[in-house]
Amino acid sequence: MSERFLVTGGSRLSGDVVVGGAKNSVLKLMAAALLAEGTTTITNCPDILDVPLMADVLRGLGCEVELDGDAVRITTPAEPEYRADFAAVRQFRASVCVLGPLVARCRKAIVALPGGDAIGSRPLDMHQAGLRLLGAHSTIEHGCVVAEADDLHGATIRLAFPSVGATENILMAAVLAKGDTTIDNAAREPEIVDLCTMLVRMGARITGAGSTTLRVSGVASLRPTEHRCIGDRIVAATWGIAAVMTRGELSVHGVNPKHLALVLDKLRSAGAEVTPLADGFHVVQKERPRAVNFATLPYPGFPTDLQPMAIGLAAVADGTSMITENVFEARFRFVEEMVRLGADARTDGHHAVVRGVEQLSSAPVWASDIRAGAGLVLAGLCADGVTEVHDVYHIDRGYPRFVEILQELGGTIERVGVDEDRLLSR
């Protein structure tokens, strides 16, 4: 049996929601534990499927991993294994973040090419190019990234694009390299800053976190530490957009509102009253939202992870919106599912034009990735009748207690099983 969500439209979301740790940070923090022998503890970990999946990857590398509520304790041996096998890695993309730490600690890494969301090509060219400049030899062999180095040395590395994953892998390799490393055009996301903060606590020497230039002075070894993961800005923004789409009122806690400055400005443009809080924000939407244009860009631009929710908002807004996707070329793949729900949307390359309608109409839809799944659920909240959302395991990979939180906020949604034969016959 697989599972699906049954979403009944017409509810106005209201209440308070507390956001847990960031998916896009915690998995990289877990990988960073490989850099030091001993026990590292990460708190404020989200209750999502990807955390135990990453725990399995680390166990395969010789670590002991204990999941205890919102804490993860990782005990790394003196000599970790250097091979991350296909069975553990294939399920999610973030597993490739063990590449840099393994090269740094073991001077060798064999990491199966990962699987994950169907949102477009995410090649490892920049990861490999950065490791080569640090002194590693890196190739793709038999479906794996293979990297080896007799020694790692500092280098000046300029990324062609501010890739989060490449920045993280190069950074985690550079902290144990001899000499100084400069990473130009580095990613600036809050999750990168969070990783830098933890690495510095472990004894790394890093400056420039949050800027386009990271400077690293390599050290001989790192020590284990305890670190609290930052709040998930994507989950927080999802709830904020849900409030606007359903003309609701929500207080969202557990996140730094400065990490969402542009997103909150977009909600204001849609007609919402948005008030920053010490640990989040409060949003009220009294009328039908106005159409707003969105263009995804690396941080501090509008996050590509929120593009499906932006499409959902545009689908019910008053007016016509233009959404431009500048990060992942296949992220519009899910738009045809929005069209099933009655959205008036057309895509052309990197652009989507969405003409808002008063109300969407229920239909069976299929989630192709974490964020597309969440966007489809939000659209279902604005549709007549009951919308069936399938392949909801994607949503569980990125959103803790998704169904339960929506229910607590007044949404009508339930999780049910579905016959595999029915899915195969669609």
Side-chain angles (χ1 to χ4, degrees), residues 12 90 115 148 207 209 245 274 313 338 340 374:
R12 178 178 183 268
R90 67 182 177 85
E148 256 184 294
T207 60
M245 289 177 65
V274 181
L313 175 57
M338 281 287 191
R340 287 181 193 260

PDB file of all heavy atoms in Angstrom, residues 12 90 115 148 207 209 245 274 313 338 340 374:
ATOM      1  N   ARG A  12     -10.364  28.031   5.927  1.00  0.00           N
ATOM      2  CA  ARG A  12      -9.498  29.190   6.149  1.00  0.00           C
ATOM      3  C   ARG A  12      -8.516  28.826   7.255  1.00  0.00           C
ATOM      4  O   ARG A  12      -8.915  28.512   8.370  1.00  0.00           O
ATOM      5  CB  ARG A  12     -10.342  30.399   6.561  1.00  0.00           C
ATOM      6  CG  ARG A  12      -9.557  31.656   6.865  1.00  0.00           C
ATOM      7  CD  ARG A  12     -10.514  32.802   7.225  1.00  0.00           C
ATOM      8  NE  ARG A  12      -9.794  34.048   7.451  1.00  0.00           N
ATOM      9  CZ  ARG A  12      -9.358  34.467   8.634  1.00  0.00           C
ATOM     10  NH1 ARG A  12      -9.590  33.716   9.711  1.00  0.00           N
ATOM     11  NH2 ARG A  12      -8.710  35.626   8.742  1.00  0.00           N
ATOM     12  N   ARG A  90      20.945   6.425  -3.119  1.00  0.00           N
ATOM     13  CA  ARG A  90      20.098   6.632  -4.288  1.00  0.00           C
ATOM     14  C   ARG A  90      18.780   7.335  -3.971  1.00  0.00           C
ATOM     15  O   ARG A  90      18.147   7.882  -4.861  1.00  0.00           O
ATOM     16  CB  ARG A  90      19.784   5.287  -4.944  1.00  0.00           C
ATOM     17  CG  ARG A  90      18.913   4.370  -4.095  1.00  0.00           C
ATOM     18  CD  ARG A  90      18.673   3.028  -4.768  1.00  0.00           C
ATOM     19  NE  ARG A  90      17.903   2.130  -3.924  1.00  0.00           N
ATOM     20  CZ  ARG A  90      16.572   2.123  -3.858  1.00  0.00           C
ATOM     21  NH1 ARG A  90      15.876   2.961  -4.595  1.00  0.00           N
ATOM     22  NH2 ARG A  90      15.941   1.290  -3.060  1.00  0.00           N
ATOM     23  N   GLY A 115      20.023   9.915  -6.087  1.00  0.00           N
ATOM     24  CA  GLY A 115      18.717  10.145  -6.677  1.00  0.00           C
ATOM     25  C   GLY A 115      18.100  11.364  -6.035  1.00  0.00           C
ATOM     26  O   GLY A 115      18.794  12.257  -5.579  1.00  0.00           O
ATOM     27  N   GLU A 148      40.162  11.001  -5.092  1.00  0.00           N
ATOM     28  CA  GLU A 148      41.326  10.539  -4.345  1.00  0.00           C
ATOM     29  C   GLU A 148      42.356  11.649  -4.279  1.00  0.00           C
ATOM     30  O   GLU A 148      42.499  12.421  -5.238  1.00  0.00           O
ATOM     31  CB  GLU A 148      41.945   9.325  -5.029  1.00  0.00           C
ATOM     32  CG  GLU A 148      41.656   8.009  -4.343  1.00  0.00           C
ATOM     33  CD  GLU A 148      42.371   6.858  -5.022  1.00  0.00           C
ATOM     34  OE1 GLU A 148      42.040   6.563  -6.179  1.00  0.00           O
ATOM     35  OE2 GLU A 148      43.253   6.254  -4.373  1.00  0.00           O
ATOM     36  N   THR A 207      36.156  32.608   7.327  1.00  0.00           N
ATOM     37  CA  THR A 207      35.606  33.961   7.359  1.00  0.00           C
ATOM     38  C   THR A 207      34.782  34.178   6.087  1.00  0.00           C
ATOM     39  O   THR A 207      34.960  33.488   5.094  1.00  0.00           O
ATOM     40  CB  THR A 207      36.717  35.028   7.438  1.00  0.00           C
ATOM     41  OG1 THR A 207      37.576  34.914   6.295  1.00  0.00           O
ATOM     42  CG2 THR A 207      37.527  34.876   8.716  1.00  0.00           C
ATOM     43  N   ALA A 209      31.341  34.057   5.885  1.00  0.00           N
ATOM     44  CA  ALA A 209      30.065  33.338   5.803  1.00  0.00           C
ATOM     45  C   ALA A 209      28.927  34.318   5.557  1.00  0.00           C
ATOM     46  O   ALA A 209      28.815  35.347   6.230  1.00  0.00           O
ATOM     47  CB  ALA A 209      29.811  32.554   7.087  1.00  0.00           C
ATOM     48  N   MET A 245      -3.185  32.171   0.540  1.00  0.00           N
ATOM     49  CA  MET A 245      -4.045  31.492  -0.430  1.00  0.00           C
ATOM     50  C   MET A 245      -5.437  31.215   0.132  1.00  0.00           C
ATOM     51  O   MET A 245      -6.431  31.272  -0.598  1.00  0.00           O
ATOM     52  CB  MET A 245      -3.387  30.188  -0.892  1.00  0.00           C
ATOM     53  CG  MET A 245      -2.172  30.387  -1.790  1.00  0.00           C
ATOM     54  SD  MET A 245      -1.369  28.822  -2.233  1.00  0.00           S
ATOM     55  CE  MET A 245      -2.671  28.025  -3.205  1.00  0.00           C
ATOM     56  N   VAL A 274       1.707  41.680   6.935  1.00  0.00           N
ATOM     57  CA  VAL A 274       2.785  40.838   7.447  1.00  0.00           C
ATOM     58  C   VAL A 274       3.563  41.594   8.510  1.00  0.00           C
ATOM     59  O   VAL A 274       4.026  42.715   8.271  1.00  0.00           O
ATOM     60  CB  VAL A 274       3.739  40.399   6.313  1.00  0.00           C
ATOM     61  CG1 VAL A 274       4.835  39.491   6.878  1.00  0.00           C
ATOM     62  CG2 VAL A 274       2.984  39.688   5.207  1.00  0.00           C
ATOM     63  N   LEU A 313      -0.233  30.208  -5.450  1.00  0.00           N
ATOM     64  CA  LEU A 313      -0.761  31.520  -5.095  1.00  0.00           C
ATOM     65  C   LEU A 313      -1.250  32.251  -6.333  1.00  0.00           C
ATOM     66  O   LEU A 313      -2.348  32.834  -6.343  1.00  0.00           O
ATOM     67  CB  LEU A 313       0.332  32.334  -4.384  1.00  0.00           C
ATOM     68  CG  LEU A 313       0.008  33.785  -4.037  1.00  0.00           C
ATOM     69  CD1 LEU A 313      -1.241  33.883  -3.164  1.00  0.00           C
ATOM     70  CD2 LEU A 313       1.203  34.437  -3.347  1.00  0.00           C
ATOM     71  N   MET A 338      -1.124  21.139 -11.687  1.00  0.00           N
ATOM     72  CA  MET A 338      -1.911  22.319 -11.307  1.00  0.00           C
ATOM     73  C   MET A 338      -3.047  22.558 -12.299  1.00  0.00           C
ATOM     74  O   MET A 338      -4.158  22.942 -11.918  1.00  0.00           O
ATOM     75  CB  MET A 338      -1.015  23.553 -11.234  1.00  0.00           C
ATOM     76  CG  MET A 338      -0.194  23.657  -9.967  1.00  0.00           C
ATOM     77  SD  MET A 338      -1.211  24.114  -8.539  1.00  0.00           S
ATOM     78  CE  MET A 338       0.072  24.485  -7.348  1.00  0.00           C
ATOM     79  N   ARG A 340      -4.601  20.295 -13.890  1.00  0.00           N
ATOM     80  CA  ARG A 340      -5.660  19.332 -13.549  1.00  0.00           C
ATOM     81  C   ARG A 340      -6.638  19.916 -12.534  1.00  0.00           C
ATOM     82  O   ARG A 340      -7.820  19.570 -12.508  1.00  0.00           O
ATOM     83  CB  ARG A 340      -5.062  18.064 -12.926  1.00  0.00           C
ATOM     84  CG  ARG A 340      -4.322  17.108 -13.835  1.00  0.00           C
ATOM     85  CD  ARG A 340      -3.845  15.938 -12.984  1.00  0.00           C
ATOM     86  NE  ARG A 340      -2.877  15.107 -13.655  1.00  0.00           N
ATOM     87  CZ  ARG A 340      -3.173  13.942 -14.242  1.00  0.00           C
ATOM     88  NH1 ARG A 340      -4.414  13.512 -14.238  1.00  0.00           N
ATOM     89  NH2 ARG A 340      -2.219  13.232 -14.810  1.00  0.00           N
ATOM     90  N   ALA A 374       3.811  19.855  -1.819  1.00  0.00           N
ATOM     91  CA  ALA A 374       3.247  20.835  -0.897  1.00  0.00           C
ATOM     92  C   ALA A 374       2.402  21.856  -1.645  1.00  0.00           C
ATOM     93  O   ALA A 374       1.315  22.240  -1.197  1.00  0.00           O
ATOM     94  CB  ALA A 374       4.370  21.534  -0.132  1.00  0.00           C
TER      95      ALA A 374
END
